[in-house]
Amino acid sequence: MNVLKPSLLKKAIGGLAIAASLGGTAHAGEVEVLHWWTSGGEARAVGMLKELMEKEGHSWKDFAVAGGAGDSAMTVLKSRAVSGNPPTAAQINGPEIQEWGELGLLGQLDSVAEQGNWDVLLPGVLSNMMKYDGHYVAVPVNVHRVNWLWANPKVLKEAGVEMPTTWEEMFAAGKKIREAGYTPLAHGGQPWQDATVFETVVLGTGGPEFYRKALVELDPEALKSDTMIQSLETFKRLRELMDDGMSGRDWNMATSMVINGDAAMQLMGDWAKGEFAAADMTAGEDYLCAPAPGTENAFVFNTDSFAMFRVSDEDARAAQQDLARLILEPEFQEAFNKVKGSIPARPDVDMSEFDKCGQQSMEDFKESRQEDTLLPSMAHRMALKSDVQGAIFDVITNYFNSSDMTAEQAAERLVNTANAAM
Ligand code: GAL
């Protein structure tokens, strides 16, 4: 399970920071980087980072742990940390950066941040996440939007339907797509994918304020409201549009179903765009993107970031600082994010060479910041502490897979989880 219990871990690791600095595995100028980018598009993107570091004269030791959204990667990271041997850098996102900071394991990036003017360059919502106790300990690579709907236009055409903009349209289109012989909605039955679809439905049903109350603040009133019951019912009903083989399927396999024309649509963050791009498909022609039904006025974000573990070796530290600096260079931001499917972490990057979906994403990101409809993704580690997020995932997945749990019962479990977390 993806649960980092600070007290237990703290006890287990004891003087880990010292152990890591004395007995660390880093060689001169080497960074060992833990990440979970193993799908086609993800691997292309991380390859660019590796190349950049190697051009700078450092060596990159790849520590990839397969598994979408990083649940397995985080488990492996914890066991490496417990045994006193964390990597020099790791993909750690959202409030988990704070959890690792509290353990005293992260090194500072303040001087790189100061030289690069990160406080001015980065939107506050990102820079705050990168700091622990007022110091930069991580660097953001990108901004992903979670609330997207992807589609294969040929399949939509064959079924005689348009891209749905409401949930009712989605079910109506789904029926026709099924009749035309295709799977309406590609899905992978894994807890984080269930949670991704669920949060999108919550937003599309209740709107941005409701999303924030329910999934960020875990407000019991919101969690037991009629709007939540309706969201849960719509979420479960989406099963009608999915196929029997979904259990355990990886997200990129679900994207492949849309790419191959076996399925019409997928509800997924824009890392899916990395798969379409890797398959040489053109946005707006070979595949379509649109905000998920009812969510066009909001932007659910997640940002990938790399946190640096404390090391005493001078060369390793120099490599970490270079990695952090290079990640935010505009050329890299542009090249990397085109391949990853995300938009740059710094909003000043030229977007003219991005595809339609990327350009729309940046516009919507900026607008949502002004309108206060920029929302942290619960499913992608942005909104809750890791143990609470894990407990919410359990409720969502159990409900989604249960034939007899009602929406009311699921809502009650969400309330109980929220109360236990307070
Ligand atoms: C997200 C992550 C993305 C993408 C996705 C699937 O949580 O932010 O970069 O890789 O998981 O693995």
Side-chain angles (χ1 to χ4, degrees):
M1 252 338 285
N2 169 30
V3 179
L4 172 61
K5 290 214 174 69
S7 55
L8 282 183
L9 193 50
K10 205 169 202 165
K11 209 164 150 199
I13 53 186
L16 175 65
I18 300 163
S21 58
L22 296 178
T25 50
H27 300 300
E30 179 189 273
V31 277
E32 186 187 17
V33 186
L34 176 137
H35 61 88
W36 63 84
W37 287 337
T38 56
S39 76
E42 290 174 334
R44 272 175 86 202
V46 78
M48 297 176 81
L49 194 51
K50 174 175 186 259
E51 214 173 277
L52 189 71
M53 279 300 276
E54 286 173 349
K55 268 206 196 121
E56 197 77 6
H58 298 298
S59 58
W60 171 286
K61 192 170 169 196
D62 201 55
F63 185 7
V65 181
D71 288 353
S72 311
M74 289 302 100
T75 306
V76 172
L77 180 60
K78 276 162 226 163
S79 65
R80 278 281 298 264
V82 167
S83 61
N85 182 31
T88 34
Q91 188 184 352
I92 302 178
N93 294 351
E96 265 163 284
I97 296 172
Q98 308 299 315
E99 297 177 24
W100 286 98
E102 277 160 26
L103 294 166
L105 294 179
L106 300 183
Q108 284 186 20
L109 295 170
D110 285 344
S111 60
V112 196
E114 208 170 298
Q115 277 162 25
N117 217 4
W118 291 8
D119 275 340
V120 175
L121 204 69
L122 296 174
V125 62
L126 300 192
S127 55
N128 289 339
M129 259 185 201
M130 301 303 129
K131 290 180 188 169
Y132 170 69
D133 204 15
H135 300 285
Y136 276 102
V137 292
V139 55
V141 202
N142 61 6
V143 174
H144 272 301
R145 185 183 199 176
V146 181
N147 56 312
W148 280 116
L149 176 66
W150 307 95
N152 182 318
K154 284 199 196 113
V155 179
L156 294 188
K157 198 164 171 231
E158 289 245 341
V161 299
E162 304 276 326
M163 202 67 159
T165 59
T166 64
W167 296 109
E168 277 319 311
E169 280 178 24
M170 177 96 173
F171 290 111
K175 194 162 171 271
K176 289 194 173 164
I177 294 165
R178 180 80 77 196
E179 282 161 10
Y182 303 95
T183 298
L185 191 62
H187 182 64
Q190 295 176 344
W192 74 269
Q193 291 186 66
D194 298 343
T196 300
V197 173
F198 173 68
E199 72 177 19
T200 300
V201 173
V202 168
L203 176 63
T205 308
E209 257 331 289
F210 179 74
Y211 175 101
R212 205 188 301 273
K213 279 215 155 62
L215 299 184
V216 182
E217 296 165 11
L218 296 183
D219 170 29
E221 291 306 317
L223 291 173
K224 65 179 174 219
S225 65
D226 289 347
T227 308
M228 179 52 77
I229 305 290
Q230 196 191 332
S231 306
L232 284 160
E233 281 169 351
T234 303
F235 168 57
K236 183 98 155 236
R237 195 175 153 208
L238 285 173
R239 287 185 77 97
E240 289 170 15
L241 309 185
M242 298 171 178
D243 70 320
D244 291 342
M246 70 180 175
S247 176
R249 177 188 289 139
D250 287 328
W251 68 272
N252 52 315
M253 293 296 123
T255 310
S256 291
M257 291 167 66
V258 180
I259 291 176
N260 300 335
D262 296 329
M265 301 176 280
Q266 183 183 19
L267 285 163
M268 186 49 64
D270 45 20
W271 43 92
K273 192 154 71 81
E275 303 305 298
F276 291 111
D280 266 335
M281 293 172 87
T282 305
E285 291 174 23
D286 306 319
Y287 69 95
L288 306 178
C289 65
T295 72
E296 61 282 356
N297 297 328
F299 191 116
V300 178
F301 80 98
N302 72 322
T303 184
D304 290 305
S305 47
F306 286 94
M308 307 298 165
F309 281 82
R310 257 162 72 179
V311 289
S312 65
D313 179 281
E314 284 293 315
D315 294 327
R317 199 169 19 230
Q320 287 180 324
Q321 307 281 316
D322 280 348
L323 177 61
R325 175 175 56 79
L326 291 167
I327 281 176
L328 281 177
E329 298 274 318
E331 298 75 24
F332 176 74
Q333 283 283 306
E334 183 177 342
F336 174 89
N337 285 302
K338 275 186 196 156
V339 167
K340 186 69 175 69
S342 35
I343 55 171
R346 41 188 293 183
D348 64 338
V349 171
D350 177 16
M351 293 297 289
S352 59
E353 296 296 314
F354 278 70
D355 62 36
K356 281 175 62 173
C357 310
Q359 288 173 351
Q360 184 185 346
S361 192
M362 184 58 101
E363 272 171 34
D364 290 353
F365 177 69
K366 289 183 176 167
E367 194 179 314
S368 71
R369 284 178 68 202
Q370 274 165 10
E371 306 286 319
D372 200 21
T373 55
L374 178 65
L375 303 162
S377 168
M378 183 280 294
H380 292 273
R381 309 168 178 284
M382 294 292 119
L384 304 173
K385 293 189 85 151
S386 56
D387 55 347
V388 181
Q389 187 216 37
I392 298 277
F393 273 26
D394 286 348
V395 178
I396 294 168
T397 284
N398 285 338
Y399 165 69
F400 195 57
N401 289 305
S402 154
S403 50
D404 51 13
M405 196 192 302
T406 63
E408 286 76 10
Q409 286 166 332
E412 201 180 307
R413 289 190 194 190
L414 288 175
V415 171
N416 293 342
T417 307
N419 287 337
M422 295 303 162

